[in-house]
Amino acid sequence: MSTNSNPLHAAEAYLRSIRTGEHSAALALAPLLAPDVEYVANGWMANLPGEQFKGHDAVLRRVTGNWASTAGIRYARWSAPREEGGKVMLAASFDHIGGVAPASVDVQLDFDAGGRISRIEHRNTPRQPRPTDTIPPGVKVL
């Protein structure tokens, strides 16, 4: 019997978990993760190392709680989850957020035979610096 017969429901639970950091979101997501789930992500900014976690508890710790990126993820513009060939895709834009947030994030969720999330892949597109002829006031030395 399938643990999760609705991949879009699992995607929404995952998104709530990474956007809020709430304990209740982690509790809702926990049974939707496979025991051998894997999380893979490249760095948020250019030249930052990626992350890789394997196993239910390690991945659950990484995708819940408040991290430096949680606020940016919370306020990103997320598209509705969509199914593509047995996978669920999520996408976010950060064009309205300044700072070190990436330009965009694409998330792919894979599922095992029981309908649980078996792999989470974050593909961050780093924001590209824009050349300028002036130094912004907030950067100038007083």
Side-chain angles (χ1 to χ4, degrees):
M1 179 176 204
S2 173
T3 301
N4 172 36
S5 59
N6 186 344
L8 295 177
H9 169 73
E12 290 166 0
Y14 172 75
L15 189 55
R16 180 175 171 228
S17 184
I18 65 170
R19 288 183 74 185
T20 67
E22 295 172 353
H23 181 67
S24 61
L27 292 176
L29 178 63
L32 306 176
L33 297 176
D36 59 347
V37 63
E38 184 179 17
Y39 172 93
V40 178
N42 63 335
W44 279 90
M45 296 184 299
N47 301 320
L48 281 182
E51 299 178 306
Q52 190 166 8
F53 297 91
K54 189 157 179 70
H56 183 277
D57 294 344
V59 171
L60 186 61
R61 275 191 303 275
R62 177 58 188 98
V63 301
T64 59
N66 284 301
W67 296 81
S69 59
T70 303
I73 291 171
R74 177 179 297 127
Y75 296 111
R77 292 183 178 134
W78 288 91
S79 64
R82 66 187 189 286
E83 289 186 81
E84 288 183 14
K87 303 173 187 301
V88 174
M89 312 302 280
L90 302 163
S93 168
F94 296 82
D95 57 348
H96 63 291
I97 300 175
V100 297
S104 65
V105 171
D106 293 296
V107 178
Q108 176 180 303
L109 301 176
D110 296 356
F111 296 86
D112 67 9
R116 295 170 297 193
I117 298 171
S118 61
R119 181 176 168 84
I120 302 165
E121 184 177 344
H122 276 248
R123 290 181 302 275
N124 302 297
T125 302
R127 190 179 303 267
Q128 299 301 314
R130 296 182 201 158
T132 181
D133 293 332
T134 60
I135 298 174
V139 177
K140 290 183 180 180
V141 176
L142 298 175

